[in-house]
């Protein structure tokens, strides 16, 4: 306290003493209140900015066009306020570390979302263009992994959107290293080993998302499939002491896909990550040219016709430049990638993804990937062993409990059925379990009779049915019980000759099932097979299959009698015998030998007996056949046909 004495010497009043007490803290309290109010205002303003950022990010993720409009029009001074979150987080001494990281994380999240939307990319570019990369440097140098991953994701998306960067191999590899680093993480960062932490989840999601973008490039596909790996800072420091093999990016992706939902690690695999993983594996298993053909499958013009139309408006220099940039992703490279992925366990990862997928989009991508894997015959056994066949059978089961199926659900089922067809084309049925053999029949039959199926899907399903039908009577019965005879009979009239041939072969393998024999006893049905057998000049394989079927079923007396009554049988036999095609001659001679047992007179009246006698006379000793310069296999087959002709002549002479 201070005492102030006031004394007036000229006053008549007696001397008075006045004491006034003044507190110095009053001024400090007043200043503190002002500062507190100011801080509260700044805090409230910052909170409002954070809310705007979060809302804008949500808009961009849900509706990119609407989100871009919010950034440009609805949110005034959006660029300045976004930048202030990053600048103030570093400069504000009142912010604790968590608050600063939260602000920068939200800002990085908005940048990543904006970079992923075409209409919003110019906004984020203009935010950072005049800062001499200061904004990116602040975000990428942040101690928080979530902030760094968001910034890296934004930069990678902007780089991929830039045609100059996306065509530069060096830039692509830099982006791939960023993505691989986000997925691999830092072994020294304890949060990476805790899947329930939000920053670990965000880091993995961003890394997988970036790889899904990059996997559209052929050079990146090859690198990922053949063991590309990223060294994290901790691995570089401890490289000399590390004895364990460093995991590749592909192995890290497989580990994510193979994570079990019942373990703590399974919490990291969200639906978005599952979809991105399925997209990555599917992209690695296909070529650019195949994707282009698939895109034009439902169009009125082909990809080649489209290219011709596009080239009409280009100069020779532009055409030459475009040809030089053509993505050389040949089938051999695709097959090599598929084999490499199968060796590393991608098949098992796909099965796990399909089992735990909660969205129809993920299911569709997984079955498409399985279908593409099955194009490589050498991995079909591994796929079946890993459970791909069983999962596709389960997926193909139609469930209409909730009403009609959506277009996406129908496509998913169709792709699953096609994957089954591809896997079983060359697979020995002996290696399948009874449930796999029986369970595969229905989806294959459904695909054959599906009007929306392509000729390729129908053809490969028919090949698989042919393979299964030739195994045992139980499988034949299952095909017949699924109305296979009527479905296959209808497929025999397809416009595509390869589909007709495959359907004919599948029907032939149903012999000697009683229902198939009964089917061929009908004259109108049998007449079709005779017509198919006559058409060997146009469709040799189909005629061969039809003749093989006739050779097997003519052991039935009713079929033989009906065959001899048909008006086109005699002409068919004459044309085949005079064709000189040994495979066909072998089959028709067996058919004639069977006919001779019931209708020997027809063999004589049709001229078949006279042909056999002349055939034996000419080639019985093999001297004349040597002049024909046949291969060893043809010479052996010709000897067989001569022996059958001898049996036929002998059988007719005994009657």
């Amino acid at each position: 306290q201070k005492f102030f004495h006031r004394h007036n010497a000229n006053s008549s009043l007696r001397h008075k003493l006045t004491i006034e007490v003044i507190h110095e803290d009053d001024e400090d309290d007043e200043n503190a209140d002002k500062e507190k109010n100011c801080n509260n205002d700044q805090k409230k303003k910052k909170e409002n900015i954070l809310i705007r950022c979060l809302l804008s990010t949500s808009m961009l993720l849900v509706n990119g066009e609407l989100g871009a409009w919010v950034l440009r029009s609805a949110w005034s001074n959006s660029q300045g306020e976004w930048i202030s979150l990053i600048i103030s987080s570093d400069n504000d001494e009142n912010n604790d570390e968590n608050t600063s990281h939260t602000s920068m994380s939200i800002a990085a999240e908005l940048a990543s979302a904006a970079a992923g939307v075409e209409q919003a990319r110019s906004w984020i570019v203009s935010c950072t263009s005049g800062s001499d990369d200061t904004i990116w440097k602040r975000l990428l140098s942040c101690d928080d992994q979530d902030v760094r991953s968001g910034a890296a994701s934004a930069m990678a998306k902007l780089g991929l959107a830039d045609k100059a960067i996306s065509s530069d191999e060096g830039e692509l590899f830099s982006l791939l290293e960023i993505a691989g680093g986000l997925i691999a993480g830092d072994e020294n960062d304890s949060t990476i080993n805790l899947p329930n932490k939000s920053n670990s989840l965000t880091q993995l999601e961003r890394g997988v998302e970036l790889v899904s973008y990059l996997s559209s490039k052929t050079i990146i596909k090859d690198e990922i499939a053949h063991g590309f790996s990223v060294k994290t800072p901790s691995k570089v420091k401890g490289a000399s002491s590390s004895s364990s093999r460093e995991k590749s990016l592909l192995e890290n992706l497989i580990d994510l896909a193979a994570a079990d939902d019942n373990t703590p690690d399974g919490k990291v695999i969200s639906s978005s990550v599952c979809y991105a993983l399925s997209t990555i594996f599917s992209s690695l298993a296909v070529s650019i040219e195949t994707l282009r053909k698939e895109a034009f499958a439902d169009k009125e013009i082909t990809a080649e016709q489209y290219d011709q139309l596009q080239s009409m408006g280009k100069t020779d220099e532009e055409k030459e430049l475009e040809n030089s940039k053509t993505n050389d992703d040949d089938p051999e490279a695709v097959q090599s990638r598929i084999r490499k992925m199968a060796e590393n366990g991608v098949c098992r990862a796909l099965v796990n993804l399909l089992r735990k997928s909660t969205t129809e989009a993920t299911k569709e991508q997984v079955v498409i990937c399985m279908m593409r894997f099955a194009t490589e015959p050498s991995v079909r056994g591994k796929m079946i062993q890993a459970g791909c066949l069983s999962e596709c059978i389960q997926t193909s089961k139609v469930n209409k409990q909730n009403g009609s199926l959506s277009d996406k659900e129908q496509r998913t089922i169709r792709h699953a059925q096609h994957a089954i067809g591809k896997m079983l084309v060359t697979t020995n049925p002996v290696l399948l379990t009874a449930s796999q053999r029986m369970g595969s029949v229905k989806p294959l039959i459904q695909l054959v009779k599906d009007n929306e199926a392509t000729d390729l899907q129908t053809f490969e399903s028919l090949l698989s049915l042919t393979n299964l039908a030739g195994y045992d009577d139980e499988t034949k019965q299952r095909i017949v019980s699924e109305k296979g005879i009527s479905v296959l009979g209808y497929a025999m009239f397809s416009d595509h000759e390869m589909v007709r041939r495959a359907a004919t072969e599948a029907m032939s393998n149903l012999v000697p099932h009683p229902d198939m024999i009964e089917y061929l006893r009908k004259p109108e049905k049998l007449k079709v097979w005779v017509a198919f057998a006559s058409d060997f000049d146009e469709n040799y394989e189909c005629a061969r299959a039809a003749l093989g079927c006739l050779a097997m079923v003519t052991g039935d007396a009713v079929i033989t009698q009906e065959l001899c009554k048909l008006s086109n049988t005699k002409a068919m036999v004459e044309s085949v015998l005079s064709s000189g095609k040994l495979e066909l001659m072998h089959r028709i001679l067996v058919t004639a030998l069977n006919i001779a047992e019931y209708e020997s007179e027809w063999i004589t009246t049709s001229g078949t007996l006279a042909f056999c006698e002349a055939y034996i006379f000419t080639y019985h000793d093999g001297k004349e056949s040597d002049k024909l310069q046949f291969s060893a296999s043809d010479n052996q087959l010709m000897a067989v046909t001569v022996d059958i002709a001898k049996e036929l002549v002998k059988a007719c002479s005994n009657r």
Side-chain angles (χ1 to χ4, degrees), residues 25-38:
D25 292 339
D26 288 348
E27 293 186 16
D28 295 338
D29 291 342
E30 185 177 353
N31 293 333
D33 290 339
K34 291 181 179 180
E35 185 177 354
K36 183 178 180 180
N37 292 333
C38 182

Side-chain angles (χ1 to χ4, degrees), residues 253-269:
L253 294 173
I254 293 172
D255 289 343
L256 286 175
D260 191 351
D261 284 340
N262 296 324
T263 65
D265 291 347
K267 297 178 183 178
V268 128
I269 307 300

Side-chain angles (χ1 to χ4, degrees), residues 192-237:
I192 302 305
N193 297 321
L194 299 175
N196 58 341
K197 297 293 185 180
S198 61
N199 58 347
S200 176
L201 173 62
T202 305
Q203 179 185 356
L204 287 170
E205 287 179 341
R206 294 196 192 286
V208 174
E209 181 186 24
L210 288 182
V211 176
S212 67
Y213 286 135
L214 291 167
S215 60
S216 62
K217 306 295 181 181
T218 299
I219 188 171
I220 299 299
K221 293 180 185 180
D222 292 335
E223 285 295 323
I224 295 175
H226 293 88
F228 177 85
S229 61
V230 178
K231 291 184 178 180
T232 59
S234 60
K235 291 178 181 178
V236 174
K237 294 176 184 177

Side-chain angles (χ1 to χ4, degrees), residues 72-233:
R72 293 184 175 279
S73 303
W75 180 5
S76 60
N77 194 26
S78 57
Q79 294 183 355
E81 291 185 349
W82 178 80
I83 294 173
S84 69
L85 285 180
I86 302 170
I87 303 299
S88 62
S89 297
D90 280 351
N91 297 338
D92 195 346
E93 298 178 355
N94 294 323
N95 283 340
D96 57 19
E97 185 177 356
N98 291 334
T99 303
S100 176
H101 288 171
T102 300
S103 300
M104 297 182 73
S105 176
I106 293 175
E109 181 73 25
L110 178 58
S112 177
V117 177
E118 183 179 359
Q119 297 91 334
R121 287 184 189 127
S122 58
W123 179 89
I124 190 64
V125 170
S126 61
C127 287
T128 58
S129 59
S131 59
D132 193 23
D133 291 337
T134 302
I135 300 297
W136 294 125
K137 289 177 181 177
R138 286 175 182 256
L139 293 173
L140 292 172
S141 61
C142 180
D143 295 335
D144 187 73
Q145 181 67 266
D146 201 12
V147 177
R148 297 199 302 270
S149 65
S153 173
M155 293 187 69
K157 291 176 183 178
L158 292 174
L160 287 172
D162 189 329
K163 293 184 179 180
I165 295 177
S166 62
S167 61
D168 186 287
E169 292 185 6
E171 293 290 346
L172 288 175
F173 278 110
S174 297
L175 297 175
L176 184 61
E177 288 180 358
I178 292 174
L182 294 176
I183 296 173
D186 187 352
E187 292 177 356
N188 291 332
D189 190 348
S190 60
T191 60
I192 302 305
N193 297 321
L194 299 175
N196 58 341
K197 297 293 185 180
S198 61
N199 58 347
S200 176
L201 173 62
T202 305
Q203 179 185 356
L204 287 170
E205 287 179 341
R206 294 196 192 286
V208 174
E209 181 186 24
L210 288 182
V211 176
S212 67
Y213 286 135
L214 291 167
S215 60
S216 62
K217 306 295 181 181
T218 299
I219 188 171
I220 299 299
K221 293 180 185 180
D222 292 335
E223 285 295 323
I224 295 175
H226 293 88
F228 177 85
S229 61
V230 178
K231 291 184 178 180
T232 59

Side-chain angles (χ1 to χ4, degrees), residues 418-429:
H418 192 195
I420 296 171
K422 282 182 175 291
M423 280 186 274
L424 297 183
V425 168
T426 57
T427 300
N428 189 343

Side-chain angles (χ1 to χ4, degrees), residues 269-418:
I269 307 300
S270 63
S271 59
S272 60
V273 171
C274 288
Y275 178 75
L277 288 170
S278 62
T279 303
I280 293 169
F281 295 139
S282 183
S283 296
L284 296 182
V286 70
S287 65
I288 303 297
E289 185 61 27
T290 301
L291 289 175
R292 291 182 71 252
K293 290 181 179 179
E294 290 177 358
F296 281 91
D298 299 330
K299 304 297 187 296
E300 295 182 356
I301 62 173
T302 63
E304 292 76 11
Q305 292 172 334
Y306 176 79
D307 291 337
Q308 292 177 359
L309 290 174
Q310 289 292 99
S311 63
M312 292 174 62
K314 296 178 181 178
T315 63
D316 293 338
E317 292 78 7
E318 290 174 334
K319 293 179 184 178
E320 184 177 353
L321 180 61
E322 185 174 347
N323 291 333
S324 65
K325 293 182 178 180
T326 300
N327 220 332
D328 188 16
D329 195 11
D330 54 47
E332 289 77 14
V334 176
Q335 292 170 358
S336 176
R337 292 199 298 266
I338 292 174
R339 290 193 295 268
K340 200 69 177 178
M341 287 190 288
E343 291 172 3
N344 283 277
V346 173
C347 298
R348 173 64 64 182
L350 291 173
V351 170
N352 198 59
L353 282 175
L354 189 56
R355 285 175 179 171
K356 66 184 180 182
S357 59
T358 57
T359 63
E360 202 62 38
T362 302
K363 288 182 181 179
E364 183 181 19
Q365 280 300 317
V366 173
V367 295
I368 287 175
C369 185
M370 289 182 177
M371 181 185 66
R372 290 170 178 172
F373 263 59
T375 58
E376 172 55 34
S378 63
V379 306
R380 290 170 183 166
K382 293 180 180 178
M383 293 181 67
I384 295 173
Q385 187 177 11
C388 293
L389 177 61
S390 299
E391 286 303 314
C392 285
I393 293 174
Q394 187 64 31
T395 303
S396 64
K397 293 180 179 179
V398 179
N399 184 7
K400 294 186 178 180
Q401 294 180 355
N402 298 325
S404 59
L405 298 173
S406 65
D407 292 341
K408 187 178 288 294
E409 289 174 330
Q410 291 177 1
R411 289 198 305 269
T412 301
I413 292 173
R414 192 176 298 117
H415 289 315
Q417 293 167 344
H418 192 195

